[in-house]
PDB file of all heavy atoms in Angstrom:
ATOM      1  N   MET O   2     135.263 187.216 243.565  1.00  0.00           N
ATOM      2  CA  MET O   2     135.640 186.902 242.195  1.00  0.00           C
ATOM      3  C   MET O   2     136.600 185.726 242.178  1.00  0.00           C
ATOM      4  O   MET O   2     136.535 184.849 241.319  1.00  0.00           O
ATOM      5  CB  MET O   2     136.282 188.118 241.534  1.00  0.00           C
ATOM      6  CG  MET O   2     135.308 189.246 241.248  1.00  0.00           C
ATOM      7  SD  MET O   2     134.058 188.744 240.077  1.00  0.00           S
ATOM      8  CE  MET O   2     135.101 188.524 238.622  1.00  0.00           C
ATOM      9  N   GLY O   3     137.552 185.713 243.155  1.00  0.00           N
ATOM     10  CA  GLY O   3     138.495 184.608 243.217  1.00  0.00           C
ATOM     11  C   GLY O   3     137.782 183.296 243.485  1.00  0.00           C
ATOM     12  O   GLY O   3     138.135 182.256 242.942  1.00  0.00           O
ATOM     13  N   SER O   4     136.765 183.314 244.336  1.00  0.00           N
ATOM     14  CA  SER O   4     136.009 182.103 244.647  1.00  0.00           C
ATOM     15  C   SER O   4     135.288 181.592 243.417  1.00  0.00           C
ATOM     16  O   SER O   4     135.222 180.390 243.150  1.00  0.00           O
ATOM     17  CB  SER O   4     135.002 182.380 245.775  1.00  0.00           C
ATOM     18  OG  SER O   4     135.676 182.783 246.951  1.00  0.00           O
ATOM     19  N   GLU O   5     134.723 182.504 242.638  1.00  0.00           N
ATOM     20  CA  GLU O   5     134.004 182.114 241.425  1.00  0.00           C
ATOM     21  C   GLU O   5     134.957 181.463 240.443  1.00  0.00           C
ATOM     22  O   GLU O   5     134.642 180.444 239.821  1.00  0.00           O
ATOM     23  CB  GLU O   5     133.338 183.337 240.781  1.00  0.00           C
ATOM     24  CG  GLU O   5     132.170 183.869 241.597  1.00  0.00           C
ATOM     25  CD  GLU O   5     131.554 185.088 240.951  1.00  0.00           C
ATOM     26  OE1 GLU O   5     131.973 185.446 239.841  1.00  0.00           O
ATOM     27  OE2 GLU O   5     130.648 185.682 241.552  1.00  0.00           O
ATOM     28  N   ARG O   6     136.157 182.069 240.279  1.00  0.00           N
ATOM     29  CA  ARG O   6     137.122 181.502 239.355  1.00  0.00           C
ATOM     30  C   ARG O   6     137.573 180.106 239.818  1.00  0.00           C
ATOM     31  O   ARG O   6     137.782 179.197 239.015  1.00  0.00           O
ATOM     32  CB  ARG O   6     138.326 182.427 239.213  1.00  0.00           C
ATOM     33  CG  ARG O   6     138.054 183.643 238.340  1.00  0.00           C
ATOM     34  CD  ARG O   6     139.364 184.295 237.916  1.00  0.00           C
ATOM     35  NE  ARG O   6     140.067 184.878 239.060  1.00  0.00           N
ATOM     36  CZ  ARG O   6     139.904 186.140 239.461  1.00  0.00           C
ATOM     37  NH1 ARG O   6     139.072 186.925 238.817  1.00  0.00           N
ATOM     38  NH2 ARG O   6     140.578 186.603 240.504  1.00  0.00           N
ATOM     39  N   THR O   7     137.712 179.956 241.138  1.00  0.00           N
ATOM     40  CA  THR O   7     138.107 178.660 241.683  1.00  0.00           C
ATOM     41  C   THR O   7     137.058 177.600 241.374  1.00  0.00           C
ATOM     42  O   THR O   7     137.368 176.474 240.987  1.00  0.00           O
ATOM     43  CB  THR O   7     138.326 178.751 243.196  1.00  0.00           C
ATOM     44  OG1 THR O   7     139.358 179.711 243.464  1.00  0.00           O
ATOM     45  CG2 THR O   7     138.736 177.400 243.776  1.00  0.00           C
ATOM     46  N   GLU O   8     135.791 177.959 241.570  1.00  0.00           N
ATOM     47  CA  GLU O   8     134.706 177.022 241.306  1.00  0.00           C
ATOM     48  C   GLU O   8     134.664 176.643 239.826  1.00  0.00           C
ATOM     49  O   GLU O   8     134.457 175.485 239.458  1.00  0.00           O
ATOM     50  CB  GLU O   8     133.358 177.640 241.723  1.00  0.00           C
ATOM     51  CG  GLU O   8     133.170 177.752 243.234  1.00  0.00           C
ATOM     52  CD  GLU O   8     133.196 176.379 243.897  1.00  0.00           C
ATOM     53  OE1 GLU O   8     132.621 175.432 243.305  1.00  0.00           O
ATOM     54  OE2 GLU O   8     133.788 176.251 244.970  1.00  0.00           O
ATOM     55  N   VAL O   9     134.839 177.656 238.936  1.00  0.00           N
ATOM     56  CA  VAL O   9     134.841 177.392 237.494  1.00  0.00           C
ATOM     57  C   VAL O   9     135.949 176.437 237.141  1.00  0.00           C
ATOM     58  O   VAL O   9     135.790 175.493 236.364  1.00  0.00           O
ATOM     59  CB  VAL O   9     134.986 178.709 236.706  1.00  0.00           C
ATOM     60  CG1 VAL O   9     135.250 178.408 235.227  1.00  0.00           C
ATOM     61  CG2 VAL O   9     133.738 179.555 236.856  1.00  0.00           C
ATOM     62  N   ARG O  10     137.138 176.682 237.719  1.00  0.00           N
ATOM     63  CA  ARG O  10     138.286 175.828 237.429  1.00  0.00           C
ATOM     64  C   ARG O  10     138.052 174.396 237.931  1.00  0.00           C
ATOM     65  O   ARG O  10     138.422 173.429 237.274  1.00  0.00           O
ATOM     66  CB  ARG O  10     139.537 176.413 238.087  1.00  0.00           C
ATOM     67  CG  ARG O  10     140.822 175.712 237.653  1.00  0.00           C
ATOM     68  CD  ARG O  10     142.022 176.479 238.146  1.00  0.00           C
ATOM     69  NE  ARG O  10     143.241 175.842 237.704  1.00  0.00           N
ATOM     70  CZ  ARG O  10     143.796 176.010 236.512  1.00  0.00           C
ATOM     71  NH1 ARG O  10     143.204 176.799 235.647  1.00  0.00           N
ATOM     72  NH2 ARG O  10     144.915 175.396 236.178  1.00  0.00           N
ATOM     73  N   LYS O  11     137.414 174.244 239.104  1.00  0.00           N
ATOM     74  CA  LYS O  11     137.108 172.917 239.612  1.00  0.00           C
ATOM     75  C   LYS O  11     136.174 172.179 238.672  1.00  0.00           C
ATOM     76  O   LYS O  11     136.335 170.990 238.414  1.00  0.00           O
ATOM     77  CB  LYS O  11     136.466 173.017 241.011  1.00  0.00           C
ATOM     78  CG  LYS O  11     137.456 173.382 242.122  1.00  0.00           C
ATOM     79  CD  LYS O  11     136.751 173.445 243.451  1.00  0.00           C
ATOM     80  CE  LYS O  11     137.732 173.781 244.592  1.00  0.00           C
ATOM     81  NZ  LYS O  11     137.039 173.876 245.897  1.00  0.00           N
ATOM     82  N   ARG O  12     135.172 172.912 238.158  1.00  0.00           N
ATOM     83  CA  ARG O  12     134.225 172.272 237.244  1.00  0.00           C
ATOM     84  C   ARG O  12     134.925 171.844 235.970  1.00  0.00           C
ATOM     85  O   ARG O  12     134.648 170.793 235.400  1.00  0.00           O
ATOM     86  CB  ARG O  12     133.062 173.216 236.938  1.00  0.00           C
ATOM     87  CG  ARG O  12     132.077 173.364 238.091  1.00  0.00           C
ATOM     88  CD  ARG O  12     130.771 173.955 237.600  1.00  0.00           C
ATOM     89  NE  ARG O  12     130.937 175.324 237.137  1.00  0.00           N
ATOM     90  CZ  ARG O  12     130.833 176.381 237.935  1.00  0.00           C
ATOM     91  NH1 ARG O  12     130.576 176.226 239.231  1.00  0.00           N
ATOM     92  NH2 ARG O  12     130.982 177.595 237.432  1.00  0.00           N
TER      93      ARG O  12
END
Side-chain angles (χ1 to χ4, degrees):
M2 290 297 294
S4 299
E5 290 179 5
R6 284 196 293 269
T7 300
E8 289 298 320
V9 169
R10 189 170 182 83
K11 286 181 179 179
R12 286 197 294 272

